[in-house]
């Protein structure tokens, strides 16, 4: 008994000392050893892997791994990755074996790289590989060859590494106990990164693939240079470049995935095979899906991956966390603000301390009580509070249409007049910008930007409520149900859900912000973008089989916007904006039913867009109202 008490006291003393230490680069080097290892896959290809192993040999250690196409640099056994610069330092303090791996065909790994490599449900031989099998083989090697491992493996990653985390969950290796896909690339046609509802996102696609997509004939530690832009005004660059074939000429013909995208303009079998949700069956690890409400890249992916796991694995331990974050902000900032909008607390720090670290500690170390996370831990902006929901969408959510009506009004009562419509001319030579300012790169802040600049344009329709007499909370998917007529054979439709702040609104001076955030923006009457989404009209009936519009014929364009979690406070207004371009975030629609990837500059024509709002043709937005 005395010996046991002494051991417990010693363990407590060691832990207290560790908690008091500053985890920095010197500590990391003094307490860890780095090993660079080529790990063989079942087909003989070897993947370059960096392994950071605690020097403490008094206990066994869990493994926490990220597989990435973005390089596991720095390379060299004496060069250490800066895990200590964010909350990952706590994994060092806890004694995790930290592993990063260059995926097949990227950087220092052997083999051929395939973008969002399709999951193979029917592997018959060692030649049948995918990202899940590469994960399996890597994990198998690690647990069999690292003598200091406790045999438990966790996998996490943000963005593209989030996709590889999803594939890891489908690997079936028994040592993989916990997986956290964060802002995971899930479907690059329907809503992540390069397409939204079939509309191409050239800013993201071109700037990314002009470097990332270049061939890598042999392993290297040096990345490829990107395109040298002639101007830092991205609106003018993409407008002056013109039709998509012109952009392809600037890209060159060596980038395979770029050419594949042009060759597959519709949601065909090629795209469908690259939908990560199709792999989410028989999921055994504990899952923690994380995303940002204002993630400009992969907001769709987080919501929809969680839903797919939930639907296809009813008994799985599958949890969702969505905070008020830009892409990866939960691992990069304090999460107290985004652009001009503030959230009253340091949400990223709260998440790391209360969600992610306890999640991995419990499942990989058996440390602490089961965190017993809520099914969905969601931050509601507007009211600026975390809520633990028993389901997502919440059971109390009621889908309720709010109608576009005459005079630019919104009403929960369907219009009774037999006539009523609003119209604008969409001119592809003067597309509506996605943000007010001149920028070089696509901004992350546009997701909460002030929309007053757009409301002033004649090619943007504006509908709003009177000031609310009580709080209105939304939680779940938003559906646009538009009744439209157009004068041409195709058009896009952008719907924006906006919170209009009171004319005297100001943030309290003591509310925190991210480092370097500007605090002098005039918030009086601010029109905060809560959610916006685009729909390529030709896909209104099918993403697989596009269909032309008949000029002058009333048709329904119905589509989903990514889920929201927001409270419109008493005294605020709810606004809807409708437009037909969102440039250069999304490419311009020629507004003729032609293959946009093969269109010429002369194919782009103006279109008269009419949105009907009457008793027989009542355009509305279905809101997920929580009573």
């Amino acid at each position: 008994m005395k010996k046991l008490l002494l051991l417990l006291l010693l363990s407590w003393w060691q832990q207290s000392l560790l908690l008091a230490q500053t985890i920095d680069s010197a500590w990391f080097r003094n307490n860890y050893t780095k090993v660079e290892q080529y790990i063989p896959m079942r087909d003989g290809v070897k993947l370059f892997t960096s392994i950071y192993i605690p020097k403490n040999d008094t206990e066994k250690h869990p493994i926490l791994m990220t597989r990435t196409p973005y390089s596991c640099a720095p390379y060299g056994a004496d060069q250490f990755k800066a895990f200590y610069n964010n909350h990952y330092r706590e994994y060092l303090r806890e004694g995790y074996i930290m592993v990063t791996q260059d995926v097949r065909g990227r950087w220092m790994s052997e083999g051929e790289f395939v973008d969002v490599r399709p999951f193979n449900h029917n592997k018959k031989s060692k030649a049948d590989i995918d990202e899940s099998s590469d994960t399996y083989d890597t994990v198998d090697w690690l647990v069999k060859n690292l003598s200091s491992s406790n045999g438990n493996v966790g996998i996490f990653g943000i963005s593209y590494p989030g996709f590889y985390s999803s594939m890891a969950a489908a690997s079936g290796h028994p040592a993989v106990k916990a997986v956290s896909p964060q802002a995971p690339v899930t479907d690059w046609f329907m809503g992540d990164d390069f397409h939204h509802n079939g509309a191409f996102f050239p800013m993201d696609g071109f700037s990314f693939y002009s470097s990332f997509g270049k061939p890598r004939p042999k392993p290297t530690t040096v990345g490829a240079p990107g395109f040298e832009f002639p101007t830092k005004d991205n609106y003018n660059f993409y407008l002056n470049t013109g039709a998509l074939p012109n952009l392809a000429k600037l890209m060159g013909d060596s980038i395979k995935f770029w050419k594949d995208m042009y060759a597959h303009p519709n949601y065909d079998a090629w795209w469908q095979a690259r939908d990560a949700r199709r792999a989410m069956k028989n999921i055994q690890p504990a899952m923690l899906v994380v995303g940002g409400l204002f993630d400009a890249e992969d907001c769709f992916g987080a919501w929809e991956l969680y839903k797919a796991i939930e639907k296809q694995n009813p008994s799985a331990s599958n949890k969702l966390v969505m905070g008020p974050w830009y892409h990866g902000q939960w691992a990069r900032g304090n999460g107290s603000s985004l652009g001009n909008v503030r959230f009253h607390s340091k949400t990223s720090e709260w998440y790391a301390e209360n969600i992610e670290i306890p999640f991995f500690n419990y499942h990989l170390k058996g440390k602490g009580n089961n965190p017993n996370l809520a099914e969905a831990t969601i931050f509601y902006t507007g009211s600026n509070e975390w809520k633990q929901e028993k389901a997502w969408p919440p059971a109390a959510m009621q889908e309720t249409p709010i109608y576009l009506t005459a005079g630019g009004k919104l009403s929960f009562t369907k219009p009774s007049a037999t006539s009523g419509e609003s119209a604008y001319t969409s001119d592809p030579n003067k597309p509506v910008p996605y943000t007010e300012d001149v920028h070089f790169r696509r901004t992350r802040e546009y997701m909460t930007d002030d929309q007053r600049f757009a409301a002033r344009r004649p090619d943007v329709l504006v509908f709003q409520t009177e000031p609310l007499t009580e709080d209105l909370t939304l939680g779940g998917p938003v559906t646009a149900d538009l009744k439209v007529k157009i004068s041409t054979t195709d058009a896009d439709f952008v719907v924006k859900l906006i919170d209009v702040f009171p004319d005297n609104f100001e943030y309290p001076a003591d509310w925190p912000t991210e480092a370097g955030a500007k605090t002098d923006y005039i918030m009086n009457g601010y029109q905060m973008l809560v959610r916006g989404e685009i729909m390529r009209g030709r896909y209104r009936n099918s993403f697989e089989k596009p269909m032309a519009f008949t000029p002058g014929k009333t048709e329904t364009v119905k589509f989903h916007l990514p889920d929201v979690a927001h409270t419109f406070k008493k005294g605020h207004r709810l606004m809807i904006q409708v437009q037909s371009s969102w440039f250069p975030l999304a490419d311009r629609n020629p507004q003729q039913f032609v293959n946009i990837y093969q269109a010429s500059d002369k194919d782009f024509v103006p279109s008269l867009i009419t949105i009907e709002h009457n008793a027989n043709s009542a355009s509305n937005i279905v809101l997920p109202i929580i009573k």
Side-chain angles (χ1 to χ4, degrees):
M1 179 63 74
K2 288 183 178 180
K3 185 177 181 180
L4 176 60
L5 287 173
L6 285 172
L7 287 173
L8 290 173
L9 184 61
L10 178 62
S11 176
W12 173 83
W13 178 72
Q14 290 175 330
Q15 188 68 23
S16 298
L17 284 178
L18 190 57
L19 289 172
Q21 293 176 10
T22 299
I23 308 299
D24 56 16
S25 59
W27 184 97
F28 192 17
R29 289 177 177 276
N30 290 335
N31 289 275
Y32 271 75
T33 299
K34 181 183 180 184
V35 174
E36 294 186 326
Q37 178 71 42
Y38 272 104
I39 297 179
M41 301 295 102
R42 63 191 64 183
D43 63 347
V45 170
K46 298 181 179 66
L47 304 188
F48 187 91
T49 311
S50 295
I51 308 168
Y52 300 84
I53 305 171
K55 293 178 180 178
N56 174 14
D57 59 2
T58 63
E59 62 180 5
K60 298 293 186 180
H61 305 280
I63 298 169
L64 189 55
M65 179 169 71
T66 297
R67 303 186 66 244
T68 179
Y70 298 137
S71 171
C72 64
Y75 297 98
D78 62 342
Q79 301 297 312
F80 280 50
K81 192 174 182 67
F83 291 114
Y84 44 81
N85 279 344
N86 64 1
H87 71 266
Y88 298 169
R89 71 177 68 89
E90 299 305 321
Y91 296 123
L92 303 181
R93 195 191 305 274
E94 291 284 350
Y96 280 73
I97 299 170
M98 302 297 287
V99 176
T100 57
Q101 182 180 72
D102 290 335
V103 298
R104 180 182 292 253
R106 293 293 296 173
W107 296 89
M108 285 296 288
S109 284
E110 299 175 354
E112 178 189 3
F113 177 70
V114 174
D115 268 295
V116 286
R117 189 188 301 269
F119 179 76
N120 186 347
H121 287 276
N122 191 26
K123 302 178 186 71
K124 295 180 179 179
S125 71
K126 291 184 177 180
D128 295 325
I129 60 90
D130 58 16
E131 302 304 340
S132 71
S133 68
D134 281 357
T135 305
Y136 188 104
D137 295 347
T138 299
V139 168
D140 208 53
W141 189 95
L142 291 170
V143 297
K144 289 177 179 177
N145 289 275
L146 298 183
S147 60
S148 59
S149 161
N150 70 0
N152 295 330
V153 179
I155 299 169
F156 70 161
I158 298 171
S159 192
Y160 216 150
F163 166 81
Y164 294 105
S165 300
S166 300
M167 294 301 105
S171 70
H173 198 291
V176 178
K177 299 296 198 302
V179 175
S180 182
Q182 301 180 3
V185 168
T186 299
D187 191 322
W188 268 351
F189 189 88
M190 296 304 298
D192 287 320
D193 292 297
F194 307 130
H195 295 83
H196 286 220
N197 292 316
F200 181 49
F201 273 39
M203 266 197 305
D204 284 45
F206 185 79
S207 62
F208 180 76
Y209 269 102
S210 62
S211 171
F212 181 87
K214 287 181 176 175
R216 187 225 59 168
K218 60 182 181 180
T220 182
T221 62
V222 180
F227 179 76
E228 289 291 333
F229 288 84
T231 176
K232 292 187 177 181
D233 182 337
N234 59 24
Y235 185 97
N236 276 346
F237 169 75
Y238 288 101
L239 187 61
N240 292 337
T241 298
L244 290 183
N246 301 332
L247 201 60
K249 291 177 183 177
L250 297 179
M251 181 69 81
D253 63 0
S254 66
I255 297 178
K256 184 178 186 303
F257 194 78
W258 185 263
K259 294 192 293 185
D260 286 339
M261 286 197 295
Y262 275 56
H264 298 276
N266 306 320
Y267 197 54
D268 58 12
W270 186 86
W271 277 116
Q272 292 169 26
R274 285 156 177 78
D275 178 359
R277 292 171 290 185
R278 293 173 177 248
M280 296 297 100
K281 297 177 181 178
N282 193 29
I283 300 301
Q284 300 302 315
M287 299 296 294
L288 181 68
V289 180
V290 180
L293 294 169
F294 305 117
D295 185 336
E297 286 99 309
D298 300 306
C299 179
F300 172 95
W303 290 117
E304 297 305 318
L305 184 77
Y306 163 78
K307 293 174 186 177
I309 297 171
E310 200 69 9
K311 181 179 179 180
Q312 296 166 189
N313 306 267
S315 62
S317 174
N318 179 41
K319 310 298 183 184
L320 174 67
V321 180
M322 295 295 288
W325 302 313
Y326 63 73
H327 193 62
Q329 189 178 8
W330 54 94
R332 296 173 188 161
N334 64 33
S336 61
S337 65
L338 175 55
N340 302 310
V341 178
R342 304 187 203 179
F343 308 123
H344 196 197
S345 64
K346 296 179 179 180
T347 62
S348 298
E349 295 177 6
W350 183 91
Y351 156 78
E353 180 180 346
N354 293 280
I355 304 290
E356 184 184 295
I357 295 168
F359 171 79
F360 281 120
N361 276 348
Y362 177 77
H363 290 290
L364 304 184
K365 298 186 71 175
K367 181 178 179 179
N369 296 320
N370 186 335
N372 194 28
L373 296 176
E375 180 67 21
T377 303
I378 310 294
F379 190 89
Y380 284 75
T381 50
S383 58
N384 295 320
E385 58 185 337
W386 287 101
K387 292 186 179 181
Q388 284 71 44
E389 304 286 8
K390 296 180 180 179
W392 190 265
M397 185 271 285
Q398 298 179 14
E399 293 186 310
T400 307
I402 190 167
Y403 294 93
L404 283 55
T405 65
K409 303 295 184 181
L410 290 173
S411 174
F412 287 107
T413 302
K414 185 177 180 179
S416 58
T418 56
S419 64
E421 60 185 31
S422 299
Y424 57 93
T425 297
S426 172
D427 184 352
N429 292 316
K430 295 182 179 180
V432 180
Y434 80 105
T435 189
E436 183 172 18
D437 300 323
V438 175
H439 293 290
F440 178 36
R441 301 294 185 190
R442 192 261 302 129
T443 74
R444 61 195 183 197
E445 293 82 8
Y446 91 85
M447 296 289 284
T448 63
D449 264 356
D450 190 351
Q451 299 301 304
R452 281 177 284 197
F453 77 96
R456 296 173 182 137
R457 287 183 58 115
D459 50 358
V460 177
L461 298 182
V462 178
F463 302 86
Q464 64 179 342
T465 65
E466 295 298 324
L468 299 174
T469 57
E470 60 183 6
D471 289 358
L472 175 66
T473 297
L474 308 183
V478 176
T479 302
D481 185 4
L482 303 179
K483 313 302 178 183
V484 309
K485 291 184 298 189
I486 68 175
S487 64
T488 54
T489 52
D490 195 18
D492 291 344
F493 296 89
V494 178
V495 169
K496 296 186 289 190
L497 174 67
I498 295 164
D499 185 341
V500 183
F501 294 11
D503 287 339
N504 62 350
F505 181 87
E506 293 181 355
Y507 283 115
D510 61 348
W511 281 27
T513 61
E514 285 283 5
K518 295 181 179 180
T519 59
D520 58 351
Y521 193 89
I522 297 174
M523 299 301 292
N524 301 168
Y526 191 84
Q527 294 181 7
M528 172 190 169
L529 182 63
V530 175
R531 181 67 73 233
E533 189 57 290
I534 188 169
M535 176 69 184
R536 183 131 286 169
R538 63 180 60 197
Y539 298 120
R540 65 198 179 280
N541 298 321
S542 169
F543 287 101
E544 300 167 351
K545 298 178 181 180
M547 182 177 296
F549 286 81
T550 299
K553 178 183 177 182
T554 300
E555 300 205 38
T556 296
V557 176
K558 190 173 184 177
F559 62 99
H560 297 298
L561 287 68
D563 293 31
V564 298
H566 184 80
T567 295
F568 293 80
K569 298 294 289 182
K570 178 182 177 180
H572 290 225
R573 298 174 187 257
L574 187 153
M575 175 184 285
I576 298 294
Q577 291 183 3
V578 181
Q579 59 200 56
S580 288
S581 52
W582 211 15
F583 190 76
L585 187 66
D587 70 315
R588 297 173 304 143
N589 191 323
Q591 303 184 149
Q592 298 194 82
F593 189 70
V594 296
N595 184 335
I596 296 178
Y597 294 91
Q598 297 176 3
S600 66
D601 291 332
K602 64 180 176 59
D603 289 324
F604 290 74
V605 299
S607 182
L608 178 63
I609 311 292
T610 302
I611 306 297
E612 299 187 343
H613 43 76
N614 55 66
N616 300 317
S617 197
S619 295
N620 65 90
I621 309 299
V622 181
L623 302 176
I625 295 178
I626 298 178
K627 297 294 185 180

